[in-house]
Amino acid sequence: MAAETHAMDAPDATTRRDLAVRAAVEQGLVGGAEGTPPLVCLLDVAGIRASAAALTGAFAAAVAPGTPVLHAFAVKACPLVPVLRLLADRGLGCEVAGPGELALARAAGVVPERTVLDSPAKTVAELREALALGIAVNADNRQELDRLDALVAGAPTRSPIGVRINPQTGAGTIDALSTATATSKFGIALRDPGAREWLVRAYADRPWLTRLHIHSGSQGVPLSLIAEGVRDLHALAEEINAAAGRRQVDTLDIGGGLPVNFASDAEAPTYAQYVAALREAVPALFDGRYGLVTEFGRSLLAKHGLALSRVEYTKTTGGRRIALTHAGVQLATRTVYAPAAWPLRILPYDAKGTPKTGPPVPQDIAGPACFAGDLLATARDLPELAPGDLIAVPDTGAYFFTAHYGYNSLPRPPVHGFRTTPAGETRFTPIRPVQPPASLVAEAGGCFRDALL
């Protein structure tokens, strides 16, 4: 890994954010000038590096010396090649869920040996490619395992192969994200009648099955419930190995899903707290008998992203102040459609990029899309906003502006990484350009204009 010292000496995350907003205005990345983008998204490079170090450090402090550990970043959380490259430089691999994400990981220089393929609907072609490359594969279901039987018999592979289980330990506070419910679509349900016995036999019949996989965590799931699923995974591995009379399962892929705090700048829970919860629930996990794989996404990137939009207009309707901005459903799809589950903070700045103060006034923060529910916040108490002001939406580095929703053919916004020197200077690096109209036309079948005439 490249040695870095300036990140440790840089200002804290909140200060870096304020400096970046002001610098974005001063350097013309966003603002009111003609031709200046009305919306820009920023990623704090120092923050991303710090999260990666916290993850790798928490596990390094817990595992027995010599234990192989792969931290595979969940590409779905932030599918940007420069971000994957940055994380690879910090020692992380990639967890991919299809050919598109695999292509991004390979473009970032992530080698097959540090890549894991997970998906509930892998095609034969996807499985064949993964096995040819030597990418680790976690089978989701019995029918996929039948496909792997044929592929492994037809061509030798160096890919580690495992099976994903659903421990059926229960849901968190967000049903749509809970992957360990009794009827979850993911994995083989461990508590269904006969399932455990079938799994033990399946491994006995297939000496090339050497891994077990689980992903019981996500936003809204408490650490205790995540740890319970990992405990069940470890117990199943012990049972399989005892039945086999050897150490057939040598690696446990424990997934990711560490929740993120969206209510303040505090990072909680931490990776150290996550590891402590695992050590309490299943202390043998770290004794060196099993290699470990993790698949964190949101917790690595969320706190380090910022969407910054100009306030285009303000109005009062029915006694309610409304600020019309360029940040809406195309960025924060989950917040717009499920605001109670995905609340976001709104940070007000004036036109120069200085934090705005003043008496709080209830205001709606509205996006640009043509439907009434395109709101990032409702009746939020903020200093009264005016045209030309800016709103910043923090904690958006994962699953927000990187998972674009194309309502009204709104373009993908530009993304810049930023670094802050100890002296307070902010330097930006382009990560993704603004999506041009020609790209939108191409996506909408522009080259087939006359096809239906």
Side-chain angles (χ1 to χ4, degrees):
M1 287 186 294
E4 294 288 348
T5 58
H6 64 273
M8 293 185 293
D9 301 323
D12 63 50
T14 303
T15 302
R16 293 197 303 268
R17 180 179 63 215
D18 287 345
L19 290 170
V21 172
R22 187 173 68 211
V25 174
E26 293 173 348
Q27 297 181 36
L29 269 64
V30 70
E34 185 75 23
T36 302
L39 171 66
V40 69
C41 300
L42 308 177
L43 285 169
D44 180 359
V45 175
I48 297 171
R49 287 186 172 129
S51 282
L55 171 60
T56 56
F59 275 81
V63 299
T67 302
V69 180
L70 170 63
H71 298 291
F73 174 69
V75 173
K76 65 182 75 67
C78 189
L80 296 172
V81 170
V83 170
L84 306 184
R85 181 63 174 164
L86 172 63
L87 292 171
D89 182 64
R90 313 317 289 176
L92 276 64
C94 282
E95 183 264 340
V96 301
E101 291 183 1
L102 175 58
L104 298 180
R106 298 190 73 185
V110 179
V111 296
E113 294 77 14
R114 301 187 66 77
T115 305
V116 179
L117 174 63
D118 294 320
S119 166
K122 307 180 197 72
T123 66
V124 171
E126 290 167 19
L127 290 169
R128 184 180 290 112
E129 179 184 23
L131 296 179
L133 291 171
I135 290 169
V137 175
N138 289 315
D140 176 83
N141 55 70
R142 301 186 188 198
Q143 293 169 0
E144 184 179 343
L145 202 52
D146 290 340
R147 289 183 176 182
L148 286 167
D149 283 335
L151 291 169
V152 169
T157 179
R158 66 182 187 277
S159 292
I161 304 175
V163 175
R164 177 171 181 168
I165 67 163
N166 169 16
Q168 297 174 295
T169 45
T173 59
I174 306 175
D175 287 342
L177 293 189
S178 297
T179 59
T181 61
T183 57
S184 171
K185 74 176 187 179
F186 293 106
I188 293 177
L190 187 59
R191 302 185 187 186
D192 278 10
R196 194 178 194 97
E197 295 77 12
W198 181 88
L199 280 162
V200 173
R201 289 196 307 273
Y203 275 75
D205 293 342
R206 299 170 176 84
W208 42 267
L209 283 178
T210 60
R211 291 188 173 188
L212 273 174
H213 176 227
I214 193 175
H215 189 107
S216 59
S218 195
Q219 190 69 18
V221 179
L223 290 184
S224 59
L225 202 59
I226 299 173
E228 183 181 345
V230 176
R231 183 194 65 200
D232 291 352
L233 182 79
H234 181 272
L236 178 61
E238 294 283 272
E239 184 175 342
I240 289 171
N241 286 346
R246 62 188 179 89
R247 186 171 170 264
Q248 178 174 342
V249 176
D250 59 21
T251 300
L252 300 180
D253 185 334
I254 62 175
L258 188 69
V260 169
N261 166 37
F262 288 95
S264 73
D265 285 335
E267 295 192 32
T270 65
Y271 290 116
Q273 290 168 333
Y274 171 80
V275 169
L278 292 180
R279 294 184 78 166
E280 181 178 355
V282 53
L285 182 70
F286 298 101
D287 66 8
R289 285 183 295 158
Y290 295 99
L292 298 176
V293 178
T294 70
E295 300 173 352
F296 293 102
R298 181 182 294 106
S299 56
L300 281 163
L301 264 293
K303 302 298 287 184
H304 313 305
L306 187 73
L308 188 58
S309 173
R310 182 174 70 220
V311 176
E312 197 66 44
Y313 302 106
T314 58
K315 63 172 73 172
T316 300
T317 300
R320 175 76 57 78
R321 293 285 298 173
I322 303 171
L324 296 160
T325 79
H326 297 271
V329 71
Q330 83 277 33
L331 306 182
T333 313
R334 288 172 170 173
T335 297
V336 168
Y337 286 117
W342 297 99
L344 285 170
R345 292 181 289 152
I346 304 295
L347 307 178
Y349 293 82
D350 65 21
K352 295 182 178 180
T354 303
K356 189 161 188 173
T357 59
V361 178
Q363 295 164 84
D364 290 356
I365 306 301
C370 292
F371 71 99
D374 187 24
L375 301 169
L376 297 189
T378 302
R380 187 70 57 85
D381 286 334
L382 298 167
E384 186 169 352
L385 295 166
D389 285 344
L390 300 168
I391 59 110
V393 190
D395 307 330
T396 48
Y399 295 107
F400 282 88
F401 57 73
T402 54
H404 186 77
Y405 179 52
Y407 198 96
N408 283 152
S409 295
L410 292 167
R412 295 179 180 88
V415 181
H416 298 262
F418 71 89
R419 299 169 176 83
T420 307
T421 69
E425 178 187 0
T426 301
R427 298 170 181 171
F428 295 102
T429 302
I431 293 177
R432 183 183 71 190
V434 66
Q435 186 177 23
S439 172
L440 291 167
V441 171
E443 285 187 358
C447 63
F448 302 110
R449 186 188 65 174
D450 297 330
L452 301 180
L453 296 182

